[in-house]
Amino acid sequence: MKKLLNDPAQVVRESLAGLALAHADLLTVSFDPAYVVRTDAPVRGKVAVVSGGGSGHEPMHCGFVGKGMLDAACPGQVFTSPTPDQIEAATRAVDGGAGVLHIVKNYTGDILNFEMAADLCQAQGIEVRAAVINDDVAVQDSLYTAGRRGVGATVLAEKICGAAAARGYDLARLEALCRQVNENARSMGMALTSCTVPAAGKPTFELGEEEIEMGIGIHGEPGRERVPLLAAREIAVRMAETILADLPFRSGDRVIALVNGMGGTPLLELYLVYGELEKILHAKGIAVARRLVGNYITSLEMAGCSFTLLRTGDELLSLWDDPVLTPGLRWGL
Amino acid sequence: MKKLLNDPAQVVRESLAGLALAHADLLTVSFDPAYVVRTDAPVRGKVAVVSGGGSGHEPMHCGFVGKGMLDAACPGQVFTSPTPDQIEAATRAVDGGAGVLHIVKNYTGDILNFEMAADLCQAQGIEVRAAVINDDVAVQDSLYTAGRRGVGATVLAEKICGAAAARGYDLARLEALCRQVNENARSMGMALTSCTVPAAGKPTFELGEEEIEMGIGIHGEPGRERVPLLAAREIAVRMAETILADLPFRSGDRVIALVNGMGGTPLLELYLVYGELEKILHAKGIAVARRLVGNYITSLEMAGCSFTLLRTGDELLSLWDDPVLTPGLRWGL
């Protein structure tokens, strides 16, 4: 295993220490338990938005803490759910009296631990609602999931809900908004290579020299099928058609599109793939109203990409365009 | 070779097509010859800033075209210098009557082709000055270079000169500023893995399972030495000390620090390394006034990182803080 680290057991802690130094203007890192909050938290009278999950998906979630997005993030160990005490501490730290929205990716450990933390907070008088993200069309149940996995829609939900919270949406309206984003979003990913969890020291799975995995999960969980290497055009067609058929998306729809790198794929390739996706959508009469191309929800150094499409109307678009100032996403500020 | 592409011979062209679709609000792509210009070019009365080089280093250079940074970029084939006709066409397209600054990384092909293009433009009455970036302390001469290679300081020079041009600096002053940035910047990189040029189809070089290369070039050119895998802390010490001794940097200096990923390194690791670098600088009395952590000047999917330190005063810092709006770097707009 060749990685830039000192001790595999300390990689998350030491990475958070670097994040704290690099972005002291935007966020503050606490340790024991570990969580990240925006520097001006709690914001009085604003609903706080909290997310979290295993580390190894950076910039998600800690890199999305800041103005206009997350109030706090709870980083677990690599590919491991954060513990209830992390989530409880983060929720308490950012509660500004208007309640807290938990955005939770649908993995069994995450769901359980966020629920436990929410119960602890509610016993202390903090109102907490949770919205679950389960946008991955690739598989119905999976290694870590009952039902669909939560993937790229999480990034879009965090941006949009963060903007809505900044505008003053109350907790019930924010929860409904997050569900609306999730219900209108679909994703699918693929891998060219595996990735290595530092504590494991060897690749999570093996792929042959000329083999790719369609429908991969963000922890390297099995997808739909292994197939021989395909052209980018064909990969884009297969992923887009699976996604489009699922909602289904229709001619005349407007979408926010995320072409996401899994961590080890050059931007050169991601833009090429984005071009293929936009051609496919254009041919079907679907308009790309906004887009992101880059590494936003990654799987360590895995090579590959994922697509997320969010069917959007004026409200979601307007929230999308609101200013955001975080390490991983920034515009308008 | 597993990559997200269709035809290795078309990868740059197809990637530019995707870039054009994704960022039509910021930039316009021309083909035959290939170059990228900001949408509002030429800006009357402003000195235009143009750079370029081989592709495969994205977001540099095409991802730095936009307000407050580059007016145009000329992408060569992967790891191959752009041709004089590309550079000439780009220079003509962005000249707003106040002259054009070429920011050129010190590689033999780049130097020759930018010079040839400058001569062609000057014959047409466009005033062109060139500033060469040669900040890599790792090696004196290299595979593609007489003298030191140009690496991470290019990103800083493009940002700072772009800001200065937007403020109205004239061509002579802008050329002097770019030289000042170069003279006060030093860089060094290292690789955990090789990378594969699409047209070659196999890794540029081979590294053993437990071996890293210190002082690597951005095209995979040989560095200073191959050593057994080291802890991130030790890698940071070796790179920082080589850089610091070279200028030399001194206690009391303020720097802009770039911890750059080579393309295949997760952010989790880059932040960890940034934490190590800041500790080293702090112990030496050097203050990090600003920093960037992420993939800015890459080598396709190579795993590894580079450090760039720029000794800065108030003018450079103020220019650094000016608004920038490009696909790869944006703040304040």
Side-chain angles (χ1 to χ4, degrees):
Chain A
M1 174 181 64
K2 289 201 285 189
K3 287 178 179 287
L4 294 168
L5 51 77
N6 298 308
D7 171 1
Q10 298 298 321
V11 62
V12 171
R13 188 185 187 94
E14 294 185 353
S15 182
L16 288 171
L19 182 80
L21 289 169
H23 300 290
D25 53 329
L26 303 177
L27 52 82
T28 307
V29 178
S30 295
F31 296 93
D32 309 313
Y35 61 92
V36 178
V37 300
R38 55 188 273 184
T39 46
D40 57 352
V43 182
R44 283 283 138 221
K46 185 184 85 69
V47 177
V49 182
V50 174
S51 191
S55 293
H57 306 300
E58 289 69 25
M60 188 187 83
H61 300 273
C62 295
F64 297 144
V65 173
K67 287 192 168 57
M69 207 160 170
L70 295 180
D71 291 86
C74 308
Q77 291 302 308
V78 174
F79 295 177
T80 302
S81 300
T83 55
D85 65 317
Q86 288 180 267
I87 304 165
E88 182 200 359
T91 302
R92 289 166 52 120
V94 298
D95 175 45
V100 180
L101 178 71
H102 285 174
I103 300 181
V104 188
K105 300 194 303 302
N106 189 36
Y107 298 97
T108 306
D110 290 24
I111 297 282
L112 282 173
N113 291 354
F114 269 95
E115 278 178 0
M116 205 175 299
D119 288 346
L120 291 168
C121 291
Q122 272 160 336
Q124 299 162 61
I126 301 171
E127 196 181 2
V128 178
R129 302 275 184 94
V132 173
I133 306 293
N134 61 350
D135 55 315
D136 189 343
V137 302
V139 295
Q140 183 49 41
D141 297 312
S142 80
L143 211 52
Y144 308 115
T145 322
R148 288 180 165 185
R149 303 175 295 214
V151 289
T154 316
V155 178
L156 309 185
E158 291 177 2
K159 167 65 186 84
I160 288 169
C161 292
R167 283 193 191 180
Y169 280 37
D170 67 22
L171 184 56
R173 195 170 165 211
L174 209 58
E175 182 194 0
L177 176 73
C178 196
R179 291 187 199 284
Q180 181 192 346
V181 171
N182 184 55
E183 283 161 11
N184 286 281
R186 296 292 187 275
S187 298
M188 185 167 162
M190 59 78 57
L192 294 167
T193 68
S194 185
C195 60
T196 297
V197 174
K202 58 180 178 35
T204 302
F205 62 100
E206 297 288 347
L207 270 179
E209 272 300 304
E210 295 294 326
E211 200 179 35
I212 63 177
E213 178 131 357
M214 300 296 293
I216 195 80
I218 58 170
H219 313 95
E221 314 95 287
R224 290 190 157 201
E225 54 174 348
R226 293 191 173 190
V227 298
L229 180 61
L230 299 168
R233 186 176 297 129
E234 179 61 24
I235 289 169
V237 165
R238 290 194 186 195
M239 296 210 298
E241 292 200 337
T242 308
I243 288 170
L244 293 172
D246 195 272
L247 188 61
F249 293 82
R250 292 204 172 83
S251 178
D253 282 347
R254 288 181 298 165
V255 298
I256 298 174
L258 166 61
V259 170
N260 173 64
M262 304 301 267
T265 296
L267 265 182
L268 186 77
E269 297 175 34
L270 292 180
Y271 277 114
L272 187 152
V273 170
Y274 176 76
E276 297 296 340
L277 174 62
E278 191 165 322
K279 270 189 282 186
I280 295 164
L281 296 176
H282 183 76
K284 293 184 184 291
I286 296 166
V288 182
R290 302 290 185 277
R291 76 282 294 158
L292 277 181
V293 182
N295 293 306
Y296 293 98
I297 167 172
T298 61
S299 301
L300 297 167
E301 73 282 3
M302 185 188 284
C305 69
S306 64
F307 291 170
T308 299
L309 297 179
L310 168 61
R311 186 169 57 190
T312 183
D314 292 339
E315 183 193 20
L316 296 190
L317 268 188
S318 165
L319 289 164
W320 180 260
D321 288 341
D322 271 5
V324 60
L325 182 58
T326 72
L329 210 61
R330 64 168 67 189
W331 54 73
L333 279 173
Chain B
M1 174 181 64
K2 290 202 285 190
K3 287 179 180 285
L4 294 168
L5 52 78
N6 297 309
D7 171 1
Q10 298 298 321
V11 61
V12 170
R13 188 185 186 93
E14 293 185 355
S15 182
L16 288 170
L19 182 80
L21 289 169
H23 301 289
D25 52 330
L26 304 177
L27 52 82
T28 307
V29 177
S30 294
F31 297 92
D32 308 313
Y35 61 92
V36 179
V37 300
R38 53 188 276 185
T39 47
D40 58 353
V43 182
R44 281 285 138 221
K46 186 184 85 69
V47 177
V49 182
V50 174
S51 191
S55 293
H57 307 300
E58 290 69 27
M60 189 187 82
H61 299 272
C62 296
F64 297 143
V65 172
K67 287 191 168 57
M69 208 159 168
L70 295 180
D71 292 84
C74 308
Q77 290 302 308
V78 173
F79 295 178
T80 302
S81 300
T83 55
D85 65 316
Q86 287 180 268
I87 304 165
E88 182 199 359
T91 302
R92 289 166 52 120
V94 298
D95 174 46
V100 180
L101 178 71
H102 285 174
I103 300 181
V104 188
K105 301 194 302 303
N106 188 37
Y107 297 97
T108 306
D110 290 25
I111 297 282
L112 282 174
N113 291 354
F114 269 95
E115 278 178 0
M116 205 175 300
D119 288 345
L120 292 168
C121 290
Q122 272 160 334
Q124 297 161 63
I126 301 171
E127 196 182 0
V128 178
R129 301 276 183 95
V132 173
I133 307 292
N134 61 350
D135 56 315
D136 190 342
V137 302
V139 294
Q140 184 50 40
D141 296 310
S142 80
L143 212 52
Y144 308 115
T145 322
R148 289 180 164 184
R149 302 175 296 216
V151 288
T154 316
V155 178
L156 309 185
E158 291 177 2
K159 166 66 185 84
I160 288 168
C161 292
R167 283 192 190 180
Y169 281 37
D170 67 22
L171 183 57
R173 196 169 165 211
L174 208 58
E175 181 194 1
L177 177 72
C178 195
R179 291 186 197 283
Q180 181 192 346
V181 170
N182 184 56
E183 282 162 11
N184 286 280
R186 297 291 187 277
S187 298
M188 185 168 163
M190 58 78 57
L192 295 166
T193 69
S194 184
C195 60
T196 297
V197 175
K202 58 181 178 35
T204 302
F205 61 100
E206 297 287 346
L207 270 178
E209 272 299 304
E210 296 293 326
E211 200 178 36
I212 63 178
E213 178 130 358
M214 301 297 293
I216 194 81
I218 57 171
H219 314 94
E221 314 94 287
R224 288 191 159 201
E225 52 174 349
R226 292 190 172 192
V227 297
L229 180 62
L230 298 168
R233 185 176 298 130
E234 179 61 24
I235 290 169
V237 166
R238 290 193 187 196
M239 295 208 299
E241 292 200 337
T242 308
I243 288 170
L244 293 172
D246 194 272
L247 189 60
F249 292 82
R250 294 207 171 81
S251 176
D253 282 348
R254 289 181 297 165
V255 297
I256 298 175
L258 166 62
V259 170
N260 173 64
M262 304 300 268
T265 296
L267 264 183
L268 186 77
E269 297 175 33
L270 292 180
Y271 277 115
L272 187 152
V273 170
Y274 177 76
E276 298 296 341
L277 174 61
E278 190 165 322
K279 270 189 281 186
I280 294 163
L281 296 176
H282 183 77
K284 292 183 185 291
I286 296 165
V288 182
R290 301 290 185 277
R291 76 282 293 158
L292 278 181
V293 181
N295 294 306
Y296 293 98
I297 166 172
T298 61
S299 302
L300 297 167
E301 72 282 4
M302 185 187 286
C305 69
S306 65
F307 292 170
T308 299
L309 297 180
L310 168 61
R311 187 168 57 190
T312 182
D314 291 339
E315 183 192 20
L316 295 190
L317 268 187
S318 165
L319 289 164
W320 180 258
D321 288 341
D322 271 5
V324 59
L325 182 58
T326 71
L329 210 61
R330 64 167 67 188
W331 54 72
L333 278 174

